[in-house]
Amino acid sequence: MAPVFRTRITDLFGIAHPILGGGLMWLSDADYVAALVNAGCMGFITPRSFDSDEDFAKALVRCASLTDGKPFGVNLTLSSRPEANAAVRRWLDIALAHGVRFFETAGYAPTELIGTLHEAGAVVLHKAPSIRHALSAERAGADAVALIGMEEGGHPGTNELPTMLMGALAVERFRVPVVLGGGIGHGRQLAAVLAQGHEGVMMGSRFLVCEEIGAHRRYKEHLLGCDEHSTVRLLHTLGNTWRVLRNDTARRIDEIERAGAADHAAFGDLISGRTARDHCYANGDWQRGMLSLGPSIAFAQRIEPLSAIVAQLLGEARTALGRLSSMELQPTP
């Protein structure tokens, strides 16, 4: 598809459209990320989704093949627990060795990681749940930031502010390009973000029904019946807020949390990501596992190629901006 909107983010990543697919745990594999890149967007493979470094490296090779050598990205998420970050440097080195130069960073204290990536000539977009954290990432050297609102599926942090409000507050506060994410699934929202003065959007949930996502078809079919009320935020009392699909697992977790659970151990395997991977994504049992999901799933109407979703988003955005530009401004009295 020919470029429709050129922004600083399209120039930074060398892509046609100001749409980024945020890293999805278990699902941002070679096929999905390649589909994003081939549709003119940018995607990020998540190394934490693979059982071994060898599997991660194979995914990088496959993605390069599927994109005919076009650039793609890798997600590096930092935990507040140092022991959980032991593999990050290995993943970074593997990605660089395979020619990756675009990275999405997220999580705790990225300054050292950003510096290391810049030394290797990489471009870094940092994903942050608040303006304060995003400004901190800019000061740390991030080339761009993704500002994520409370509507985000997955982990929006402890932020209580919606995406568009934060976007309006953030205008003119950043030097680097800013994209907005959280609850975005329609081209009207892309138009609104661009009209605010930002450079693009980051999306995840809306793409879950694309053909290239490696989740069971039964799960995708269930998502088509979801509306804007089909998600819930959990674990905020533990400082680990997680927006997920309303299902049996979510209801059980809510009960435990309301009973006063004080640590993660109280939830057992209910909050294990592998439960979601093995039971839902692999076998289609959408009642099992904490399934990261945002309310933008309400815009999903059919299972289709990712390129068709992108084309629809761009058409909707163009229509919305066309309507705005056709409005006649009335003289001030």
Side-chain angles (χ1 to χ4, degrees):
M1 290 173 284
V4 179
F5 307 108
R6 180 179 177 181
T7 71
R8 288 194 294 162
I9 209 70
T10 62
D11 290 346
L12 181 66
F13 286 108
I15 53 181
H17 312 305
I19 299 173
L20 310 180
L24 304 174
M25 185 63 182
W26 307 122
L27 298 175
S28 282
D29 59 8
D31 292 63
Y32 168 61
V33 170
L36 282 165
V37 170
N38 290 333
C41 309
M42 178 54 65
F44 305 90
I45 290 177
T46 53
R48 290 187 185 274
S49 299
F50 299 93
D51 288 329
S52 68
D53 291 352
E54 291 73 21
D55 288 342
F56 171 48
K58 289 177 182 177
L60 297 176
V61 172
R62 176 171 173 78
C63 195
S65 174
L66 291 172
T67 61
D68 291 325
K70 291 190 288 292
F72 59 91
V74 163
N75 167 283
L76 296 174
T77 297
L78 294 168
S79 171
S80 59
R81 296 176 294 114
E83 66 274 13
N85 297 322
V88 171
R89 182 58 199 239
R90 295 202 315 273
W91 295 330
L92 183 158
D93 290 339
I94 292 169
L96 291 173
H98 283 80
V100 176
R101 291 299 181 271
F102 293 119
F103 291 85
E104 172 195 59
T105 60
Y108 184 78
T111 301
E112 182 178 351
L113 178 59
I114 292 172
T116 300
L117 289 167
H118 278 168
E119 289 175 3
V123 171
V124 183
L125 174 141
H126 185 74
K127 186 162 58 178
S130 70
I131 293 173
R132 177 170 61 89
H133 289 121
L135 286 170
S136 178
E138 180 185 68
R139 290 192 296 270
D143 301 290
V145 295
L147 194 56
I148 305 299
M150 65 176 291
E151 303 97 323
E152 180 200 23
H155 294 281
T158 57
N159 165 46
E160 296 287 342
L161 297 179
T163 302
M164 294 305 289
L165 174 63
M166 283 207 299
L169 291 169
V171 173
E172 299 179 354
R173 295 189 64 179
F174 291 85
R175 293 177 293 99
V176 300
V178 176
V179 300
L180 301 184
I184 294 175
H186 196 284
R188 288 190 294 264
Q189 294 166 294
L190 170 58
V193 168
L194 297 177
Q196 276 193 349
H198 295 303
E199 311 294 334
V201 296
M202 176 170 282
M203 298 172 53
S205 297
R206 177 64 183 90
F207 290 137
L208 289 175
V209 295
C210 76
E211 292 179 352
E212 295 87 353
I213 278 277
H216 199 282
R217 186 176 182 88
R218 192 156 53 242
Y219 175 53
K220 296 180 185 180
E221 290 172 347
H222 175 73
L223 293 179
L224 296 179
C226 290
D227 63 16
E228 65 273 26
H229 304 293
S230 296
T231 72
V232 61
R233 291 196 304 160
L234 300 172
L235 303 185
H236 49 279
T237 57
L238 301 184
N240 188 34
T241 308
W242 203 341
R243 182 179 289 279
V244 299
L245 173 71
R246 291 183 186 272
N247 62 4
D248 288 347
T249 299
R251 283 185 282 274
R252 178 59 183 141
I253 290 170
D254 184 53
E255 291 171 358
I256 296 172
E257 192 169 8
R258 289 177 183 274
D263 56 50
H264 290 73
F267 300 93
D269 289 340
L270 287 170
I271 61 174
S272 168
R274 293 180 183 273
T275 300
R277 181 194 67 178
D278 296 341
H279 293 282
C280 178
Y281 300 147
N283 295 316
D285 185 356
W286 54 268
Q287 295 284 13
R288 300 283 300 276
M290 292 190 76
L291 307 172
S292 297
L293 187 70
S296 63
I297 195 61
F299 294 114
Q301 299 175 336
R302 64 189 67 87
I303 299 170
E304 58 188 333
L306 188 144
S307 60
I309 299 175
V310 171
Q312 179 178 341
L313 290 166
L314 295 172
E316 293 163 346
R318 185 156 40 188
T319 297
L321 288 174
R323 178 180 179 276
L324 185 64
S325 63
S326 67
M327 295 175 67
E328 183 175 344
L329 295 177
Q330 300 299 316
T332 302

